[in-house]
Amino acid sequence: MTDGNMKNIRPRYLVALAIMALACATIVVVSIRSSEETTKIGLFSDAVSNADFELDQLAQMAVRLTSATAEASRTAYRSAIGTRITQTRAVLDNLETAWTDLPDRLKERISANSYASGAEAFKTHWELLEQGSQIFGGDAASENQNATRLASTYRLLNLPMTKEYQKIVRDYSKDAAEAVARFNYGFAGAGAVILIGLGLFIFLPMERTIKRQIVQMAATLEDVRAVGRRAARVR
């Protein structure tokens, strides 16, 4: 293969390799970011479910308190509610941490939700926790009234809000997965085009050049043999 032919093929070969390396690097970066985003969304979804579970348990304890008549039973429920409040506060702190790590697009979707907006996305959660803390401190009638208010707030506000959050997260995750799939299909198509380009503009010309060089070498070898035969006859 002559130097001229190599000079023509090498730049195209290097460009093709650079494009393939860039495509592979892009796919890796997108995959890593998609995996990180999926993990963060999963943590947020789990935190929402945990918060709803704790608040649901708190509401149930409040309802049981209103139906208890014996002081021993009411004391036991007060203790259980106090423990649940401590656990719920920790879960809500974890929920707000998960919220800060969410992708901005998902935050915007949740903030556009009719039940919440921006920094007040979990205001209802904290209000329920505050209502739980306010159950105690009065007589039985006052405690029952506060407990009933807590249970009603949970059913009217927190439960539908949690379902809305979960629906938004599911829809967003579905859209994100479809976008990643489209991206992967697009790069797969681009990879196929690159491979075809390699065949047409690098390997095919290389094959032709090699064949031409083989023919030239065969002709040169034949010329050498002819010269050798003439030299032998002269002797």
Side-chain angles (χ1 to χ4, degrees), residues 47-53 55 58 88-89 91-92 95-96 115-116 120-132 150 153-154 157-159 161-162 165:
V48 170
S49 298
N50 291 337
D52 180 65
F53 173 79
L55 292 171
L58 183 59
T88 304
R89 182 172 286 108
V91 169
L92 292 183
L95 176 59
E96 291 198 336
Y115 292 106
E120 298 183 347
F122 309 109
K123 182 179 179 180
T124 302
H125 294 70
W126 288 105
E127 287 178 348
L128 280 168
L129 187 64
E130 182 64 24
Q131 289 180 19
L150 168 62
T153 302
Y154 172 77
L157 294 179
N158 189 78
L159 187 58
M161 181 174 64
T162 298
Y165 280 169

PDB file of all heavy atoms in Angstrom, residues 47-53 55 58 88-89 91-92 95-96 115-116 120-132 150 153-154 157-159 161-162 165:
ATOM      1  N   ALA A  47     -39.737   7.602  50.361  1.00  0.00           N
ATOM      2  CA  ALA A  47     -39.930   8.552  51.462  1.00  0.00           C
ATOM      3  C   ALA A  47     -41.382   9.012  51.546  1.00  0.00           C
ATOM      4  O   ALA A  47     -41.939   9.164  52.639  1.00  0.00           O
ATOM      5  CB  ALA A  47     -38.999   9.753  51.281  1.00  0.00           C
ATOM      6  N   VAL A  48     -42.006   9.246  50.394  1.00  0.00           N
ATOM      7  CA  VAL A  48     -43.423   9.625  50.379  1.00  0.00           C
ATOM      8  C   VAL A  48     -44.286   8.516  50.976  1.00  0.00           C
ATOM      9  O   VAL A  48     -45.170   8.765  51.798  1.00  0.00           O
ATOM     10  CB  VAL A  48     -43.881   9.956  48.947  1.00  0.00           C
ATOM     11  CG1 VAL A  48     -45.408  10.102  48.881  1.00  0.00           C
ATOM     12  CG2 VAL A  48     -43.229  11.231  48.452  1.00  0.00           C
ATOM     13  N   SER A  49     -44.004   7.283  50.561  1.00  0.00           N
ATOM     14  CA  SER A  49     -44.771   6.143  51.084  1.00  0.00           C
ATOM     15  C   SER A  49     -44.561   5.987  52.593  1.00  0.00           C
ATOM     16  O   SER A  49     -45.520   5.724  53.335  1.00  0.00           O
ATOM     17  CB  SER A  49     -44.360   4.857  50.357  1.00  0.00           C
ATOM     18  OG  SER A  49     -44.644   4.937  48.976  1.00  0.00           O
ATOM     19  N   ASN A  50     -43.319   6.150  53.045  1.00  0.00           N
ATOM     20  CA  ASN A  50     -43.039   6.029  54.479  1.00  0.00           C
ATOM     21  C   ASN A  50     -43.739   7.118  55.275  1.00  0.00           C
ATOM     22  O   ASN A  50     -44.286   6.861  56.362  1.00  0.00           O
ATOM     23  CB  ASN A  50     -41.533   6.091  54.728  1.00  0.00           C
ATOM     24  CG  ASN A  50     -40.805   4.876  54.198  1.00  0.00           C
ATOM     25  OD1 ASN A  50     -41.397   3.815  54.020  1.00  0.00           O
ATOM     26  ND2 ASN A  50     -39.517   5.019  53.929  1.00  0.00           N
ATOM     27  N   ALA A  51     -43.716   8.347  54.737  1.00  0.00           N
ATOM     28  CA  ALA A  51     -44.384   9.445  55.424  1.00  0.00           C
ATOM     29  C   ALA A  51     -45.888   9.201  55.506  1.00  0.00           C
ATOM     30  O   ALA A  51     -46.519   9.436  56.550  1.00  0.00           O
ATOM     31  CB  ALA A  51     -44.097  10.759  54.707  1.00  0.00           C
ATOM     32  N   ASP A  52     -46.461   8.720  54.407  1.00  0.00           N
ATOM     33  CA  ASP A  52     -47.898   8.434  54.416  1.00  0.00           C
ATOM     34  C   ASP A  52     -48.221   7.327  55.413  1.00  0.00           C
ATOM     35  O   ASP A  52     -49.241   7.391  56.124  1.00  0.00           O
ATOM     36  CB  ASP A  52     -48.352   8.033  53.010  1.00  0.00           C
ATOM     37  CG  ASP A  52     -49.841   7.727  52.957  1.00  0.00           C
ATOM     38  OD1 ASP A  52     -50.642   8.653  53.174  1.00  0.00           O
ATOM     39  OD2 ASP A  52     -50.208   6.565  52.720  1.00  0.00           O
ATOM     40  N   PHE A  53     -47.361   6.308  55.481  1.00  0.00           N
ATOM     41  CA  PHE A  53     -47.590   5.214  56.425  1.00  0.00           C
ATOM     42  C   PHE A  53     -47.562   5.723  57.859  1.00  0.00           C
ATOM     43  O   PHE A  53     -48.437   5.383  58.675  1.00  0.00           O
ATOM     44  CB  PHE A  53     -46.530   4.125  56.233  1.00  0.00           C
ATOM     45  CG  PHE A  53     -46.593   3.030  57.266  1.00  0.00           C
ATOM     46  CD1 PHE A  53     -47.535   2.022  57.168  1.00  0.00           C
ATOM     47  CD2 PHE A  53     -45.708   3.029  58.339  1.00  0.00           C
ATOM     48  CE1 PHE A  53     -47.596   1.017  58.130  1.00  0.00           C
ATOM     49  CE2 PHE A  53     -45.757   2.030  59.297  1.00  0.00           C
ATOM     50  CZ  PHE A  53     -46.713   1.019  59.194  1.00  0.00           C
ATOM     51  N   LEU A  55     -48.033   8.803  58.977  1.00  0.00           N
ATOM     52  CA  LEU A  55     -49.176   9.682  59.249  1.00  0.00           C
ATOM     53  C   LEU A  55     -50.477   8.893  59.341  1.00  0.00           C
ATOM     54  O   LEU A  55     -51.361   9.235  60.137  1.00  0.00           O
ATOM     55  CB  LEU A  55     -49.268  10.760  58.174  1.00  0.00           C
ATOM     56  CG  LEU A  55     -48.137  11.794  58.186  1.00  0.00           C
ATOM     57  CD1 LEU A  55     -48.210  12.683  56.959  1.00  0.00           C
ATOM     58  CD2 LEU A  55     -48.196  12.636  59.462  1.00  0.00           C
ATOM     59  N   LEU A  58     -50.468   7.419  62.687  1.00  0.00           N
ATOM     60  CA  LEU A  58     -50.761   8.469  63.657  1.00  0.00           C
ATOM     61  C   LEU A  58     -52.253   8.770  63.699  1.00  0.00           C
ATOM     62  O   LEU A  58     -52.843   8.927  64.779  1.00  0.00           O
ATOM     63  CB  LEU A  58     -49.969   9.725  63.302  1.00  0.00           C
ATOM     64  CG  LEU A  58     -50.092  10.927  64.254  1.00  0.00           C
ATOM     65  CD1 LEU A  58     -49.634  10.541  65.650  1.00  0.00           C
ATOM     66  CD2 LEU A  58     -49.285  12.106  63.723  1.00  0.00           C
ATOM     67  N   THR A  88     -42.390   9.960  62.950  1.00  0.00           N
ATOM     68  CA  THR A  88     -42.887  10.707  61.786  1.00  0.00           C
ATOM     69  C   THR A  88     -42.012  11.913  61.498  1.00  0.00           C
ATOM     70  O   THR A  88     -41.741  12.242  60.334  1.00  0.00           O
ATOM     71  CB  THR A  88     -44.339  11.158  62.020  1.00  0.00           C
ATOM     72  OG1 THR A  88     -45.150  10.022  62.308  1.00  0.00           O
ATOM     73  CG2 THR A  88     -44.887  11.868  60.787  1.00  0.00           C
ATOM     74  N   ARG A  89     -41.552  12.590  62.542  1.00  0.00           N
ATOM     75  CA  ARG A  89     -40.676  13.753  62.343  1.00  0.00           C
ATOM     76  C   ARG A  89     -39.391  13.344  61.616  1.00  0.00           C
ATOM     77  O   ARG A  89     -38.933  14.041  60.698  1.00  0.00           O
ATOM     78  CB  ARG A  89     -40.345  14.405  63.684  1.00  0.00           C
ATOM     79  CG  ARG A  89     -39.482  15.657  63.553  1.00  0.00           C
ATOM     80  CD  ARG A  89     -39.323  16.382  64.878  1.00  0.00           C
ATOM     81  NE  ARG A  89     -40.559  17.082  65.239  1.00  0.00           N
ATOM     82  CZ  ARG A  89     -41.381  16.697  66.209  1.00  0.00           C
ATOM     83  NH1 ARG A  89     -41.101  15.607  66.914  1.00  0.00           N
ATOM     84  NH2 ARG A  89     -42.468  17.389  66.486  1.00  0.00           N
ATOM     85  N   VAL A  91     -39.056  10.768  59.614  1.00  0.00           N
ATOM     86  CA  VAL A  91     -39.416  10.395  58.245  1.00  0.00           C
ATOM     87  C   VAL A  91     -39.638  11.640  57.383  1.00  0.00           C
ATOM     88  O   VAL A  91     -39.231  11.684  56.211  1.00  0.00           O
ATOM     89  CB  VAL A  91     -40.677   9.509  58.258  1.00  0.00           C
ATOM     90  CG1 VAL A  91     -41.227   9.329  56.848  1.00  0.00           C
ATOM     91  CG2 VAL A  91     -40.350   8.147  58.869  1.00  0.00           C
ATOM     92  N   LEU A  92     -40.263  12.677  57.945  1.00  0.00           N
ATOM     93  CA  LEU A  92     -40.499  13.906  57.184  1.00  0.00           C
ATOM     94  C   LEU A  92     -39.185  14.631  56.887  1.00  0.00           C
ATOM     95  O   LEU A  92     -39.033  15.235  55.818  1.00  0.00           O
ATOM     96  CB  LEU A  92     -41.457  14.822  57.946  1.00  0.00           C
ATOM     97  CG  LEU A  92     -42.896  14.322  58.073  1.00  0.00           C
ATOM     98  CD1 LEU A  92     -43.764  15.354  58.792  1.00  0.00           C
ATOM     99  CD2 LEU A  92     -43.498  13.995  56.702  1.00  0.00           C
ATOM    100  N   LEU A  95     -37.856  12.882  54.015  1.00  0.00           N
ATOM    101  CA  LEU A  95     -38.627  13.217  52.812  1.00  0.00           C
ATOM    102  C   LEU A  95     -38.151  14.538  52.216  1.00  0.00           C
ATOM    103  O   LEU A  95     -37.997  14.666  50.995  1.00  0.00           O
ATOM    104  CB  LEU A  95     -40.112  13.289  53.170  1.00  0.00           C
ATOM    105  CG  LEU A  95     -41.070  13.719  52.051  1.00  0.00           C
ATOM    106  CD1 LEU A  95     -40.976  12.782  50.858  1.00  0.00           C
ATOM    107  CD2 LEU A  95     -42.504  13.777  52.577  1.00  0.00           C
ATOM    108  N   GLU A  96     -37.905  15.522  53.071  1.00  0.00           N
ATOM    109  CA  GLU A  96     -37.450  16.818  52.562  1.00  0.00           C
ATOM    110  C   GLU A  96     -36.040  16.719  51.970  1.00  0.00           C
ATOM    111  O   GLU A  96     -35.718  17.405  51.000  1.00  0.00           O
ATOM    112  CB  GLU A  96     -37.491  17.854  53.675  1.00  0.00           C
ATOM    113  CG  GLU A  96     -38.917  18.205  54.099  1.00  0.00           C
ATOM    114  CD  GLU A  96     -38.986  19.517  54.858  1.00  0.00           C
ATOM    115  OE1 GLU A  96     -37.957  19.914  55.436  1.00  0.00           O
ATOM    116  OE2 GLU A  96     -40.074  20.122  54.876  1.00  0.00           O
ATOM    117  N   TYR A 115     -52.314  20.324  45.143  1.00  0.00           N
ATOM    118  CA  TYR A 115     -52.230  20.132  46.588  1.00  0.00           C
ATOM    119  C   TYR A 115     -51.009  20.788  47.205  1.00  0.00           C
ATOM    120  O   TYR A 115     -50.897  20.883  48.408  1.00  0.00           O
ATOM    121  CB  TYR A 115     -52.191  18.631  46.928  1.00  0.00           C
ATOM    122  CG  TYR A 115     -53.479  17.925  46.614  1.00  0.00           C
ATOM    123  CD1 TYR A 115     -53.566  17.085  45.513  1.00  0.00           C
ATOM    124  CD2 TYR A 115     -54.591  18.087  47.405  1.00  0.00           C
ATOM    125  CE1 TYR A 115     -54.746  16.433  45.212  1.00  0.00           C
ATOM    126  CE2 TYR A 115     -55.778  17.432  47.110  1.00  0.00           C
ATOM    127  CZ  TYR A 115     -55.849  16.608  46.014  1.00  0.00           C
ATOM    128  OH  TYR A 115     -57.006  15.963  45.714  1.00  0.00           O
ATOM    129  N   ALA A 116     -50.052  21.199  46.393  1.00  0.00           N
ATOM    130  CA  ALA A 116     -48.804  21.713  46.944  1.00  0.00           C
ATOM    131  C   ALA A 116     -48.144  22.651  45.955  1.00  0.00           C
ATOM    132  O   ALA A 116     -48.476  22.657  44.773  1.00  0.00           O
ATOM    133  CB  ALA A 116     -47.858  20.559  47.274  1.00  0.00           C
ATOM    134  N   GLU A 120     -43.535  24.698  49.905  1.00  0.00           N
ATOM    135  CA  GLU A 120     -44.604  24.239  50.782  1.00  0.00           C
ATOM    136  C   GLU A 120     -45.152  22.887  50.346  1.00  0.00           C
ATOM    137  O   GLU A 120     -46.268  22.524  50.696  1.00  0.00           O
ATOM    138  CB  GLU A 120     -45.728  25.266  50.825  1.00  0.00           C
ATOM    139  CG  GLU A 120     -45.294  26.626  51.394  1.00  0.00           C
ATOM    140  CD  GLU A 120     -46.456  27.592  51.498  1.00  0.00           C
ATOM    141  OE1 GLU A 120     -47.508  27.292  50.915  1.00  0.00           O
ATOM    142  OE2 GLU A 120     -46.294  28.631  52.159  1.00  0.00           O
ATOM    143  N   ALA A 121     -44.346  22.153  49.579  1.00  0.00           N
ATOM    144  CA  ALA A 121     -44.822  20.877  49.047  1.00  0.00           C
ATOM    145  C   ALA A 121     -45.275  19.926  50.147  1.00  0.00           C
ATOM    146  O   ALA A 121     -46.201  19.144  49.955  1.00  0.00           O
ATOM    147  CB  ALA A 121     -43.728  20.215  48.210  1.00  0.00           C
ATOM    148  N   PHE A 122     -44.645  20.007  51.319  1.00  0.00           N
ATOM    149  CA  PHE A 122     -44.968  19.076  52.400  1.00  0.00           C
ATOM    150  C   PHE A 122     -45.527  19.802  53.623  1.00  0.00           C
ATOM    151  O   PHE A 122     -45.424  19.311  54.743  1.00  0.00           O
ATOM    152  CB  PHE A 122     -43.721  18.266  52.769  1.00  0.00           C
ATOM    153  CG  PHE A 122     -43.064  17.641  51.574  1.00  0.00           C
ATOM    154  CD1 PHE A 122     -41.857  18.110  51.118  1.00  0.00           C
ATOM    155  CD2 PHE A 122     -43.687  16.614  50.884  1.00  0.00           C
ATOM    156  CE1 PHE A 122     -41.272  17.560  49.992  1.00  0.00           C
ATOM    157  CE2 PHE A 122     -43.095  16.059  49.765  1.00  0.00           C
ATOM    158  CZ  PHE A 122     -41.886  16.533  49.316  1.00  0.00           C
ATOM    159  N   LYS A 123     -46.118  20.963  53.366  1.00  0.00           N
ATOM    160  CA  LYS A 123     -46.694  21.736  54.467  1.00  0.00           C
ATOM    161  C   LYS A 123     -47.779  20.950  55.183  1.00  0.00           C
ATOM    162  O   LYS A 123     -47.858  20.964  56.418  1.00  0.00           O
ATOM    163  CB  LYS A 123     -47.254  23.044  53.919  1.00  0.00           C
ATOM    164  CG  LYS A 123     -47.831  23.958  54.995  1.00  0.00           C
ATOM    165  CD  LYS A 123     -48.343  25.262  54.376  1.00  0.00           C
ATOM    166  CE  LYS A 123     -48.944  26.171  55.448  1.00  0.00           C
ATOM    167  NZ  LYS A 123     -49.447  27.430  54.842  1.00  0.00           N
ATOM    168  N   THR A 124     -48.608  20.233  54.424  1.00  0.00           N
ATOM    169  CA  THR A 124     -49.692  19.463  55.037  1.00  0.00           C
ATOM    170  C   THR A 124     -49.151  18.368  55.936  1.00  0.00           C
ATOM    171  O   THR A 124     -49.703  18.094  57.005  1.00  0.00           O
ATOM    172  CB  THR A 124     -50.591  18.850  53.950  1.00  0.00           C
ATOM    173  OG1 THR A 124     -51.115  19.893  53.132  1.00  0.00           O
ATOM    174  CG2 THR A 124     -51.751  18.081  54.576  1.00  0.00           C
ATOM    175  N   HIS A 125     -48.042  17.752  55.525  1.00  0.00           N
ATOM    176  CA  HIS A 125     -47.433  16.713  56.356  1.00  0.00           C
ATOM    177  C   HIS A 125     -47.042  17.276  57.727  1.00  0.00           C
ATOM    178  O   HIS A 125     -47.339  16.684  58.771  1.00  0.00           O
ATOM    179  CB  HIS A 125     -46.192  16.136  55.675  1.00  0.00           C
ATOM    180  CG  HIS A 125     -46.471  15.385  54.410  1.00  0.00           C
ATOM    181  ND1 HIS A 125     -46.881  16.010  53.260  1.00  0.00           N
ATOM    182  CD2 HIS A 125     -46.400  14.055  54.122  1.00  0.00           C
ATOM    183  CE1 HIS A 125     -47.037  15.106  52.307  1.00  0.00           C
ATOM    184  NE2 HIS A 125     -46.751  13.913  52.798  1.00  0.00           N
ATOM    185  N   TRP A 126     -46.379  18.420  57.696  1.00  0.00           N
ATOM    186  CA  TRP A 126     -45.928  19.017  58.955  1.00  0.00           C
ATOM    187  C   TRP A 126     -47.100  19.522  59.788  1.00  0.00           C
ATOM    188  O   TRP A 126     -47.052  19.487  61.025  1.00  0.00           O
ATOM    189  CB  TRP A 126     -44.945  20.150  58.672  1.00  0.00           C
ATOM    190  CG  TRP A 126     -43.609  19.657  58.194  1.00  0.00           C
ATOM    191  CD1 TRP A 126     -43.124  19.700  56.921  1.00  0.00           C
ATOM    192  CD2 TRP A 126     -42.602  19.030  58.981  1.00  0.00           C
ATOM    193  NE1 TRP A 126     -41.877  19.136  56.858  1.00  0.00           N
ATOM    194  CE2 TRP A 126     -41.521  18.721  58.106  1.00  0.00           C
ATOM    195  CE3 TRP A 126     -42.486  18.694  60.330  1.00  0.00           C
ATOM    196  CZ2 TRP A 126     -40.358  18.102  58.548  1.00  0.00           C
ATOM    197  CZ3 TRP A 126     -41.323  18.073  60.767  1.00  0.00           C
ATOM    198  CH2 TRP A 126     -40.283  17.786  59.889  1.00  0.00           C
ATOM    199  N   GLU A 127     -48.147  20.004  59.108  1.00  0.00           N
ATOM    200  CA  GLU A 127     -49.332  20.435  59.850  1.00  0.00           C
ATOM    201  C   GLU A 127     -49.988  19.262  60.563  1.00  0.00           C
ATOM    202  O   GLU A 127     -50.459  19.398  61.702  1.00  0.00           O
ATOM    203  CB  GLU A 127     -50.330  21.095  58.900  1.00  0.00           C
ATOM    204  CG  GLU A 127     -49.905  22.475  58.422  1.00  0.00           C
ATOM    205  CD  GLU A 127     -50.898  23.084  57.449  1.00  0.00           C
ATOM    206  OE1 GLU A 127     -51.793  22.342  56.985  1.00  0.00           O
ATOM    207  OE2 GLU A 127     -50.782  24.282  57.156  1.00  0.00           O
ATOM    208  N   LEU A 128     -50.010  18.103  59.902  1.00  0.00           N
ATOM    209  CA  LEU A 128     -50.552  16.920  60.556  1.00  0.00           C
ATOM    210  C   LEU A 128     -49.711  16.539  61.773  1.00  0.00           C
ATOM    211  O   LEU A 128     -50.249  16.163  62.822  1.00  0.00           O
ATOM    212  CB  LEU A 128     -50.600  15.752  59.562  1.00  0.00           C
ATOM    213  CG  LEU A 128     -51.768  15.742  58.576  1.00  0.00           C
ATOM    214  CD1 LEU A 128     -51.517  14.716  57.474  1.00  0.00           C
ATOM    215  CD2 LEU A 128     -53.073  15.418  59.293  1.00  0.00           C
ATOM    216  N   LEU A 129     -48.407  16.630  61.616  1.00  0.00           N
ATOM    217  CA  LEU A 129     -47.528  16.317  62.744  1.00  0.00           C
ATOM    218  C   LEU A 129     -47.771  17.285  63.895  1.00  0.00           C
ATOM    219  O   LEU A 129     -47.807  16.891  65.067  1.00  0.00           O
ATOM    220  CB  LEU A 129     -46.075  16.374  62.296  1.00  0.00           C
ATOM    221  CG  LEU A 129     -45.040  15.904  63.320  1.00  0.00           C
ATOM    222  CD1 LEU A 129     -45.234  14.423  63.643  1.00  0.00           C
ATOM    223  CD2 LEU A 129     -43.631  16.143  62.796  1.00  0.00           C
ATOM    224  N   GLU A 130     -47.954  18.559  63.573  1.00  0.00           N
ATOM    225  CA  GLU A 130     -48.224  19.556  64.600  1.00  0.00           C
ATOM    226  C   GLU A 130     -49.561  19.286  65.290  1.00  0.00           C
ATOM    227  O   GLU A 130     -49.684  19.418  66.514  1.00  0.00           O
ATOM    228  CB  GLU A 130     -48.222  20.953  63.975  1.00  0.00           C
ATOM    229  CG  GLU A 130     -48.438  22.091  64.952  1.00  0.00           C
ATOM    230  CD  GLU A 130     -47.323  22.206  65.982  1.00  0.00           C
ATOM    231  OE1 GLU A 130     -46.200  21.732  65.696  1.00  0.00           O
ATOM    232  OE2 GLU A 130     -47.586  22.754  67.067  1.00  0.00           O
ATOM    233  N   GLN A 131     -50.547  18.886  64.497  1.00  0.00           N
ATOM    234  CA  GLN A 131     -51.841  18.541  65.086  1.00  0.00           C
ATOM    235  C   GLN A 131     -51.713  17.352  66.033  1.00  0.00           C
ATOM    236  O   GLN A 131     -52.370  17.292  67.068  1.00  0.00           O
ATOM    237  CB  GLN A 131     -52.857  18.228  63.987  1.00  0.00           C
ATOM    238  CG  GLN A 131     -53.311  19.445  63.204  1.00  0.00           C
ATOM    239  CD  GLN A 131     -54.322  19.088  62.133  1.00  0.00           C
ATOM    240  OE1 GLN A 131     -54.948  18.033  62.175  1.00  0.00           O
ATOM    241  NE2 GLN A 131     -54.491  19.981  61.165  1.00  0.00           N
ATOM    242  N   GLY A 132     -50.850  16.408  65.668  1.00  0.00           N
ATOM    243  CA  GLY A 132     -50.618  15.278  66.554  1.00  0.00           C
ATOM    244  C   GLY A 132     -50.009  15.709  67.869  1.00  0.00           C
ATOM    245  O   GLY A 132     -50.369  15.194  68.944  1.00  0.00           O
ATOM    246  N   LEU A 150     -57.285  15.678  63.558  1.00  0.00           N
ATOM    247  CA  LEU A 150     -56.115  15.085  62.908  1.00  0.00           C
ATOM    248  C   LEU A 150     -56.535  14.008  61.908  1.00  0.00           C
ATOM    249  O   LEU A 150     -56.061  14.002  60.757  1.00  0.00           O
ATOM    250  CB  LEU A 150     -55.192  14.488  63.968  1.00  0.00           C
ATOM    251  CG  LEU A 150     -54.059  13.584  63.458  1.00  0.00           C
ATOM    252  CD1 LEU A 150     -53.111  14.365  62.566  1.00  0.00           C
ATOM    253  CD2 LEU A 150     -53.309  12.952  64.621  1.00  0.00           C
ATOM    254  N   THR A 153     -58.188  15.596  58.834  1.00  0.00           N
ATOM    255  CA  THR A 153     -57.222  16.274  57.966  1.00  0.00           C
ATOM    256  C   THR A 153     -56.453  15.268  57.125  1.00  0.00           C
ATOM    257  O   THR A 153     -56.193  15.493  55.936  1.00  0.00           O
ATOM    258  CB  THR A 153     -56.243  17.103  58.809  1.00  0.00           C
ATOM    259  OG1 THR A 153     -56.971  18.043  59.601  1.00  0.00           O
ATOM    260  CG2 THR A 153     -55.263  17.852  57.920  1.00  0.00           C
ATOM    261  N   TYR A 154     -56.093  14.147  57.741  1.00  0.00           N
ATOM    262  CA  TYR A 154     -55.365  13.119  57.003  1.00  0.00           C
ATOM    263  C   TYR A 154     -56.205  12.592  55.844  1.00  0.00           C
ATOM    264  O   TYR A 154     -55.723  12.470  54.716  1.00  0.00           O
ATOM    265  CB  TYR A 154     -54.964  11.973  57.930  1.00  0.00           C
ATOM    266  CG  TYR A 154     -54.377  10.791  57.177  1.00  0.00           C
ATOM    267  CD1 TYR A 154     -53.071  10.832  56.708  1.00  0.00           C
ATOM    268  CD2 TYR A 154     -55.144   9.662  56.890  1.00  0.00           C
ATOM    269  CE1 TYR A 154     -52.528   9.783  56.002  1.00  0.00           C
ATOM    270  CE2 TYR A 154     -54.609   8.604  56.178  1.00  0.00           C
ATOM    271  CZ  TYR A 154     -53.307   8.664  55.739  1.00  0.00           C
ATOM    272  OH  TYR A 154     -52.791   7.627  55.025  1.00  0.00           O
ATOM    273  N   LEU A 157     -56.878  15.651  53.155  1.00  0.00           N
ATOM    274  CA  LEU A 157     -55.771  16.338  52.488  1.00  0.00           C
ATOM    275  C   LEU A 157     -54.591  15.429  52.182  1.00  0.00           C
ATOM    276  O   LEU A 157     -54.169  15.307  51.037  1.00  0.00           O
ATOM    277  CB  LEU A 157     -55.306  17.513  53.359  1.00  0.00           C
ATOM    278  CG  LEU A 157     -56.301  18.658  53.541  1.00  0.00           C
ATOM    279  CD1 LEU A 157     -55.710  19.733  54.441  1.00  0.00           C
ATOM    280  CD2 LEU A 157     -56.706  19.258  52.205  1.00  0.00           C
ATOM    281  N   ASN A 158     -54.058  14.793  53.205  1.00  0.00           N
ATOM    282  CA  ASN A 158     -52.803  14.062  52.997  1.00  0.00           C
ATOM    283  C   ASN A 158     -52.972  12.843  52.109  1.00  0.00           C
ATOM    284  O   ASN A 158     -52.144  12.585  51.232  1.00  0.00           O
ATOM    285  CB  ASN A 158     -52.220  13.621  54.340  1.00  0.00           C
ATOM    286  CG  ASN A 158     -50.824  13.053  54.189  1.00  0.00           C
ATOM    287  OD1 ASN A 158     -49.861  13.787  54.040  1.00  0.00           O
ATOM    288  ND2 ASN A 158     -50.714  11.740  54.207  1.00  0.00           N
ATOM    289  N   LEU A 159     -54.038  12.072  52.314  1.00  0.00           N
ATOM    290  CA  LEU A 159     -54.218  10.853  51.532  1.00  0.00           C
ATOM    291  C   LEU A 159     -54.321  11.137  50.041  1.00  0.00           C
ATOM    292  O   LEU A 159     -53.587  10.546  49.233  1.00  0.00           O
ATOM    293  CB  LEU A 159     -55.435  10.082  52.040  1.00  0.00           C
ATOM    294  CG  LEU A 159     -55.652   8.695  51.434  1.00  0.00           C
ATOM    295  CD1 LEU A 159     -54.436   7.815  51.685  1.00  0.00           C
ATOM    296  CD2 LEU A 159     -56.904   8.037  52.023  1.00  0.00           C
ATOM    297  N   MET A 161     -53.287  13.792  48.482  1.00  0.00           N
ATOM    298  CA  MET A 161     -52.035  14.413  48.052  1.00  0.00           C
ATOM    299  C   MET A 161     -50.960  13.360  47.821  1.00  0.00           C
ATOM    300  O   MET A 161     -50.206  13.421  46.848  1.00  0.00           O
ATOM    301  CB  MET A 161     -51.572  15.414  49.115  1.00  0.00           C
ATOM    302  CG  MET A 161     -50.279  16.146  48.744  1.00  0.00           C
ATOM    303  SD  MET A 161     -49.870  17.432  49.936  1.00  0.00           S
ATOM    304  CE  MET A 161     -49.592  16.434  51.402  1.00  0.00           C
ATOM    305  N   THR A 162     -50.890  12.378  48.710  1.00  0.00           N
ATOM    306  CA  THR A 162     -49.907  11.303  48.550  1.00  0.00           C
ATOM    307  C   THR A 162     -50.159  10.521  47.275  1.00  0.00           C
ATOM    308  O   THR A 162     -49.215  10.193  46.534  1.00  0.00           O
ATOM    309  CB  THR A 162     -49.950  10.360  49.763  1.00  0.00           C
ATOM    310  OG1 THR A 162     -49.612  11.095  50.943  1.00  0.00           O
ATOM    311  CG2 THR A 162     -48.971   9.212  49.598  1.00  0.00           C
ATOM    312  N   TYR A 165     -48.917  12.596  44.407  1.00  0.00           N
ATOM    313  CA  TYR A 165     -47.459  12.536  44.320  1.00  0.00           C
ATOM    314  C   TYR A 165     -47.012  11.257  43.619  1.00  0.00           C
ATOM    315  O   TYR A 165     -46.169  11.283  42.721  1.00  0.00           O
ATOM    316  CB  TYR A 165     -46.846  12.579  45.720  1.00  0.00           C
ATOM    317  CG  TYR A 165     -46.763  13.952  46.340  1.00  0.00           C
ATOM    318  CD1 TYR A 165     -46.445  14.100  47.682  1.00  0.00           C
ATOM    319  CD2 TYR A 165     -47.000  15.098  45.601  1.00  0.00           C
ATOM    320  CE1 TYR A 165     -46.366  15.360  48.268  1.00  0.00           C
ATOM    321  CE2 TYR A 165     -46.928  16.344  46.169  1.00  0.00           C
ATOM    322  CZ  TYR A 165     -46.611  16.474  47.509  1.00  0.00           C
ATOM    323  OH  TYR A 165     -46.534  17.704  48.071  1.00  0.00           O
TER     324      TYR A 165
END
